[in-house]
Amino acid sequence: MARNDFRFHVTKRVRYAEIDAQAVVFNSRYLEYFDIGITEYWRAAGVHDRWPHHASPEFHVARAEVDYKAPILLDEEIDICVRASRVGRSSMSYLFELHGKGREDLRAGGLLVNVHVGEARGAPAPVPDEFVSLFEAFEGCGLRA
């Protein structure tokens, strides 16, 4: 995707604790970056305003993919780009891209599929319409599959 296909991004600086012996971001950290991105994306879309105190609908990660393209280095600032891409009956899919701050230089891309559950240990449940509406309004398009 082109970077301008993402309406949202958050900037983050790479810290020493996130790198390996070659001063490159360690592979597992990319999923942490996606988690930072999705947390801020939810905030920007209004989830935390609508459901304060983290009482929003409960989702579990069902699938996580990372495609590594180019290294991210110590002390570098990166933009974590996020967008909701699809809503199924009980799942929501998000696309991610990591770029150098303010640049069109794809370092990694990824996909997360989250499944809505009725309670923390519950079975999959339909994604609430009100929740989907927040993301459709934020993205300016329909997301239902």
Side-chain angles (χ1 to χ4, degrees):
M1 299 181 79
R3 182 184 165 133
N4 62 4
D5 289 336
F6 291 85
R7 299 176 55 101
F8 175 83
H9 79 272
V10 61
T11 302
K12 186 205 178 308
R13 183 179 299 276
V14 174
R15 299 170 303 154
Y16 182 79
E18 299 165 354
I19 62 170
D20 61 18
Q22 293 80 36
V24 173
V25 172
F26 186 67
N27 59 11
S28 68
R29 299 294 185 163
Y30 288 71
L31 291 174
E32 289 181 37
Y33 294 168
F34 292 176
D35 188 63
I36 291 167
I38 203 164
T39 299
E40 296 306 320
Y41 179 79
W42 279 29
R43 185 181 325 284
V47 172
H48 300 298
D49 293 334
R50 170 58 187 90
W51 290 278
H53 312 296
H54 305 288
S56 65
E58 179 74 27
F59 285 85
H60 294 175
V61 174
R63 180 176 172 191
E65 295 180 8
V66 181
D67 296 316
Y68 303 96
K69 303 295 185 184
I72 301 172
L73 307 175
L74 175 62
D75 204 41
E76 189 171 0
E77 286 187 294
I78 58 168
D79 287 338
I80 304 167
C81 303
V82 184
R83 67 178 282 212
S85 61
R86 178 186 176 280
V87 177
R89 186 188 78 74
S90 63
S91 67
M92 288 189 71
S93 299
Y94 300 89
L95 297 175
F96 296 85
E97 287 189 358
L98 303 178
H99 293 266
K101 181 181 178 183
R103 297 194 306 271
E104 177 77 54
D105 65 339
L106 181 62
R107 306 302 183 80
L111 166 75
L112 282 180
V113 178
N114 290 340
V115 174
H116 178 250
V117 293
E119 55 188 61
R121 292 191 172 105
V127 178
D129 289 335
E130 184 178 5
F131 194 80
V132 176
S133 295
L134 283 176
F135 291 101
E136 288 180 330
F138 186 75
E139 289 293 341
C141 65
L143 297 171
R144 290 272 184 198

